[in-house]
Structures are given as structure tokens and as C-alpha cells.
Amino acid sequence: MDKALERGGASRGASTAAPASAAAWAVLLLLALGVMIAFVDRTSISSALADGPFIQHFGMTDIDRGWVNAAFFWSYGLIQIPAGWIVDRYGVKTPYTVCFVLWCLATAVTGLISTMFALILMRFIVGAAEAVVMPASYRWIRNNFKEGQSGTAVGLFAMGNKFGPAIGAPIAAWLITAYDWRVMFIATGAVGLVWLLPWIFLVKNDLPRREDMAAIRRKASSITFASILSSPLVWGTLVVNFCYGYFTFFCMTWMPSYLVEERGLSLEKSGLFTFFSFAGIAIVALIAGWTADKLIARGGDPVFVRKAFVIAGFIGACTVLLGAKAESLNAALFWNVFSLSFLGLATANNLALCRLTLIPAPAVGLVTGVQQVATSLAGGVAASLSGWLLHISGSYDLPMLVIFVFLVIGALTTWLVLRPEWAPKISLAADE
């Protein structure tokens, strides 16, 4: 068996593959639009939870708001590993199509409900259906882009999941203000279905033929679930993804409420500054991913280069505490936008490092699913813990201090634990 493969994914064969075609970049753009729609649908609830009539309609406390925000993430995390297992064996297009329809419909139906039980149920459905997005997308990127392009590819894809809340927050706020929360949910869920047209007709069907299934299952099983869980590197990526996700999901779930309640902005202005924050992290992520690719193409070690960007992003994002402590509104808004934008240095490079560079190809879908459990756990914990901390302290200072702690842990874990020699090992079945 190839020793480079035995060591893990750091020296993957894709590094010598031909450059990605124009068609591959076009599909990548479509995947970025798909994840953008997913994030619009998952974060639309945040604007609703800053809307007085919506809160009064369901009779919610701060703790209730935390649980409603968290409901999505619990089902999202629960289905991540099965979703990764499915796309490793049955391809990307069919599972993605089915789940896309389901989460759009559940978002639209949210505008028609009137009980807390139904609200939480819809959020559970949206979370379960969106669980396929990351494993499927990274499976496709791993199959179509070489190492020297993966940072740019992931950066472009990551722009989708950052522009989702960036665009979704002001649009949701405008729809709520101009109409009401019911129209907002129905509109955001229904409009997203338009994406299916180019997806169905332009993307090649990769559902394996019956006669190919045995070979695909054998390849997908070349790395066992036990070897994944026994890898120190995988556990390190879980910690890093949790720490990264905690900050970003706090911003997705609580930023509109923070800006309205703590800083006195209107709902419309809170949506605008949420846009600036997530647009900033998206743009920085693309630039950082592209820059890292160029450094790697010039002979830089992929692991060292990407780790340096990730650590810098975590450290820079710690300036969130300056925003929390700022007395003037302008200073608070500046550091609020700056800290999340600076985290963009970590975004694409962390994803490329943890899901592509260090991971053997046959296990990308499953490992991504495992990592997404940590990411979704971060969302659930950030949403519910922040609500509880707000309830007991009466301000957002304590929730933001917790963010700072996790950012420091993320930087240290990246430095100490993300080592190629600790990656999962490929079994002999991979070469048979």
C-alpha cells in the first residue's frame, strides 16, 4: 500500500491531478448558491426571534428563544453521520435533491403554524434535511479539485454559507417589517426552490450503477468508523470546528437580538450590520483561501500554510471582546464586524485542512459528517447556552466572554493537535 496514503490525507493523489474544468467550477458555484439558500432558511428564524409580535405570538422567554434557535442544530447534528455515509456510497445529486425540497417546504410551512410544538418540529425537519449539504458538497469538491485549488474552491463555497446569513438577515428583517413573520417564512422557503431547475438539468447524475455498488462500498469502507474515532487528528478537528462554529453560530442566532436589545438598533439596521459581518468573513475567506493556494503552489507545505491562517483567524477574532466592552455604538459596531470578518482567515483554510488536506479521499463524506456533528453541537450550545447566560446575567457580556474562551482553545488545538501523522489510516482493502 502507498505509504503516503497510509499516513493519511496530507499527501493526497489529487495534488497531481489535472486542473478542474470550467464545468467543475460552474457546479461549485451552484453548490455555493445551494448552501447560501440553506443558510438563509436556517437563519431566518433569528430575525423572527428579534421581532416582538413573533415572540408574543408564541409567548417565548429568553430561554425559549434559545431552545427554538437550538432545535435546528440538534437534528442537524444527529443526521450528519448518516448523511456522510449515504453520499460516500450513493453520490451527491440524488440525496441533495430530495433533502433540498424537504427543507424548503418545512421553512415555508413555518409561516402557517401557530404552536410552539409545531415551530420546534419544523426547525427539527429543516435541520435534518440540511444535514446532507456539507458532506455532499465536500465529497464533490474532493473528487473534482486538486490540493493547489482546494483553498480557493472551499473559499468560494464558503462564501455561500457566509452570504446566506449576510443576505438572509436584512431580507428577513425587511419582509417582517414590510409584511410580517408569516410572509417572511413562506417567501424564503418557496423562492429557494427555483435553485432546483439548474441543479436538476445541469449536474450530472452520480448515483452509482448497480454493478458498481460493490466496488464503491469496498472503497468507502477502506477506512473504518473505528479508525476515524481512534484518530487524534479527527478529535482535534472536532474541537477546532466546535470552537469556530460557536462564534459564527452565535452571530447567526443572537446577533440581531444583541444589536436590537443591547445596542438599540432597529430591526432593519441590525440586519444591515449582520450583512456587513458575514459579507466580511465571506470575502476574507475567499482571499485567504486563494492566498494559501498560491503559497502552496510555490512550494509551501500545505499543512503548515493552512494552520498558520487558521491560528491567525482565531486570534484576530478574539477582538470580539473589544466590541462587548466598547462604550460608544460606533466602536461596538466596528469591532463586531471586524472580529467576525477576521475569522475569515480561518474559514476556507480550516475547512480545506480538516476535510480535504488531512483526510484520505475514501472517507471525506463520513469524516465530514463526523466533524459536522461538532459544528452542529456548537450551534446548539451557542444558541441555548447564550440564552441561558443572557437570562442569568441580564447582558451580553458573559456570552461574549465564552466566545473568547473558545476562540483561544481553537487556536491552541490547531497548533498542537492537527498533525498529519495522526490522520485516519486506510486499510489494505483500499488497494485490493
Side-chain angles (χ1 to χ4, degrees):
M1 181 172 60
D2 192 297
K3 292 183 179 179
L5 287 177
E6 186 176 4
R7 285 194 298 271
S11 302
R12 57 193 178 106
S15 61
T16 59
S21 65
W25 287 103
V27 174
L28 178 64
L29 180 60
L30 200 54
L31 287 170
L33 290 173
V35 76
M36 184 182 75
I37 293 169
F39 271 77
V40 168
D41 289 344
R42 78 174 61 174
T43 57
S44 57
I45 191 71
S46 300
S47 294
L49 288 170
D51 178 50
F54 180 81
I55 296 170
Q56 294 166 12
H57 178 81
F58 292 99
M60 287 184 283
T61 65
D62 287 340
I63 293 177
D64 292 332
R65 288 196 291 166
W67 282 112
V68 170
N69 260 325
F72 167 92
F73 296 103
W74 302 130
S75 61
Y76 185 72
L78 183 65
I79 305 299
Q80 283 296 323
I81 293 175
W85 186 92
I86 288 171
V87 300
D88 277 341
R89 288 159 176 77
Y90 299 102
V92 170
K93 184 174 182 178
T94 299
Y96 203 127
T97 302
V98 172
C99 292
F100 189 95
V101 172
L102 183 58
W103 90 60
C104 285
L105 291 178
T107 299
V109 169
T110 303
L112 305 175
I113 61 179
S114 59
T115 68
M116 274 288 290
F117 174 80
L119 177 61
I120 292 176
L121 177 61
M122 289 303 106
R123 299 310 296 171
F124 266 95
I125 293 174
V126 173
E130 287 194 11
V132 77
V133 173
M134 294 302 180
S137 299
Y138 284 100
R139 171 81 271 166
W140 193 91
I141 292 171
R142 182 62 175 78
N143 288 342
N144 290 276
F145 291 90
K146 63 179 184 177
E147 174 62 62
Q149 295 177 315
S150 62
T152 305
V154 172
L156 180 59
F157 174 72
M159 289 188 75
N161 63 33
K162 297 303 180 287
F163 270 107
I167 294 173
I171 289 177
W174 176 77
L175 286 171
I176 292 171
T177 303
Y179 302 97
D180 64 11
W181 60 270
R182 297 172 182 85
V183 172
M184 183 272 291
F185 282 114
I186 294 171
T188 54
V191 171
L193 291 169
V194 175
W195 177 88
L196 284 172
L197 295 175
W199 175 259
I200 290 173
F201 292 107
L202 297 181
V203 178
K204 182 180 178 182
N205 185 11
D206 59 347
L207 183 67
R209 297 177 302 175
R210 185 182 299 273
E211 54 269 29
D212 296 331
M213 283 302 300
I216 291 172
R217 287 170 180 161
R218 184 173 64 250
K219 184 178 180 181
S221 300
S222 61
I223 296 183
T224 65
F225 192 63
S227 71
I228 290 173
L229 293 183
S230 65
S231 165
L233 180 138
V234 169
W235 286 100
T237 65
L238 297 183
V239 174
V240 171
N241 280 278
F242 179 94
C243 294
Y244 174 92
Y246 191 93
F247 185 20
T248 57
F249 284 124
F250 171 87
C251 293
M252 289 180 195
T253 55
W254 281 102
M255 184 183 290
S257 298
Y258 164 75
L259 295 175
V260 170
E261 298 166 3
E262 189 85 355
R263 294 300 177 177
L265 298 186
S266 65
L267 185 59
E268 297 95 321
K269 287 187 177 179
S270 76
L272 181 62
F273 279 97
T274 301
F275 168 82
F276 289 150
S277 296
F278 281 99
I281 191 175
I283 294 169
V284 173
L286 180 61
I287 295 172
W290 179 85
T291 303
D293 283 348
K294 292 300 180 183
L295 292 174
I296 293 168
R298 292 177 181 176
D301 177 73
V303 176
F304 177 83
V305 170
R306 300 205 190 281
K307 284 177 68 170
F309 275 91
V310 174
I311 293 170
F314 276 122
I315 293 173
C318 289
T319 55
V320 66
L321 273 189
L322 298 179
K325 298 298 183 182
E327 294 185 2
S328 74
L329 175 61
N330 288 337
L333 293 175
F334 171 80
W335 291 115
N336 201 52
V337 173
F338 178 87
S339 60
L340 188 61
S341 298
F342 209 98
L343 189 62
L345 291 178
T347 302
N349 288 294
N350 175 57
L351 295 171
L353 180 68
C354 293
R355 299 179 182 181
L356 303 175
T357 301
L358 293 171
I359 304 302
V364 168
L366 185 56
V367 172
T368 298
V370 172
Q371 292 172 350
Q372 282 297 114
V373 173
T375 302
S376 58
L377 181 63
V381 173
S384 54
L385 179 59
S386 297
W388 180 73
L389 292 173
L390 176 62
H391 176 73
I392 64 170
S393 68
S395 81
Y396 285 85
D397 289 353
L398 188 55
M400 289 190 175
L401 179 60
V402 173
I403 292 172
F404 172 82
V405 171
F406 281 125
L407 290 171
V408 172
I409 293 173
L412 290 174
T413 304
T414 301
W415 177 31
L416 298 173
V417 184
L418 300 192
R419 301 183 178 185
E421 62 268 27
W422 289 348
K425 305 300 187 294
I426 297 178
S427 70
L428 294 175
D431 294 332
E432 290 176 354

